[in-house]
Each structure stands twice: as C-alpha cells, then as structure tokens.
Amino acid sequence: VENRLERLENRSGLPSAPGDAGTRYRLDRLYASQVHSPAPAHAPHRREAVQAYNRAVDAMANGDRKEAIAAYVQALTLQPGMVEATGNLGTLYEREGRYTEAIALYEEAVKAAPGNAMLYRNLGILYEKTGQIPLAADTFKAYLRLNGGGDPDIERLVAHFQRSGKVGPDYLHVTQESSQGRCLAWPA
C-alpha cells in the first residue's frame, strides 16, 4: 500500500508529505489533487487552488487553524465551488464557534454537491446547534435519504425532533461520531 500511495503521489505531482504523515493525511492530499468540484478541470487557477488546499491540510495536521483557514479561503478564492475546501473550512468555523459562517459555507457546498450526504449531516448538526430544529430535521432527513439510512444516532435524533420539536436535557447529551471522530454536545 505504501509503495502504491507513493507512486500515486508522484504521478499527481504532489510535493512530498512530511515524514511522519499518516496514510489518511496523505490520501486527503492526494484526493485534493484530483478535486471533484463543479469548476472545470481547465480552470485557470485550479493548480494554485489545489496547492492552497494542500497547505490548509498541512496546517491542520500541524494544529495551525489560523493558517488552515487562510489557505482554505485562498483555495476558494482561486476556485469557487471547491466542495472539499468549502466543507473543511465550514468544519473549522464550527470548531471555532463561528456557526453563522459555517452554515453559510455548508449551504453553499450542498448547492454545489447535492449528492454529498456528509455535507447534509454536518449542516444538520450546525442547524441543531443553533436551535434551528425544523431545518435540522429536514436536513438530517435529506442526509438519511442520501446515505441510505444506517446512522442510528441521526435516525433517533430526527425521530426525537419529530416528537418534541427540540432536544431536551434528558436526550443524547454526548454522542461520538465515528466517521468524523468528533464529539458532539447536544444543547439542553
């Protein structure tokens, strides 16, 4: 696997990753070099946008959120509609409590990639965190439709929304998202 990954990185023209870079990190960078965004492949600034995206991934790997945000913004300036950068920047804004900005980014990403289930999931989480329960429920339903179900935490949350219209203190205080590794605290 290591040799194949190295060959793919070389073929994509990526600069070498830091020596201690994990496989997931390297795969994220490789994926970004093959960006599946609405902008055409011949977009004049695509290469620079991918480089900025990779700088953002590197900055996140090094724990530098400020640099990561700046690099994601640059990537989106160079190639508007780069769904991967939009989603990652939204996640960074969410982690910093900048929910309004994160919601705007995820709404933009959902319009650009309406078949991306995880974008709906993340947007639903933000709607829920900001108390926009009807929007959260609708967005989670779209996520479950696209994802084919199979997410019991979200299914229970949607059912709870439908019954009560809100999240009470006795419901799901903390849940672990295995796909993202994030811990979500649901508001009382």
Side-chain angles (χ1 to χ4, degrees), residues 124-135:
I125 289 167
L126 285 163
Y127 284 147
E128 192 277 332
K129 283 183 173 183
T130 57
Q132 300 177 66
I133 302 306
L135 280 173

Side-chain angles (χ1 to χ4, degrees), residues 73-88:
V73 168
Q74 181 185 15
L76 289 168
T77 300
L78 292 166
Q79 186 176 337
M82 181 188 273
V83 174
E84 298 81 4
T86 303
N88 290 351

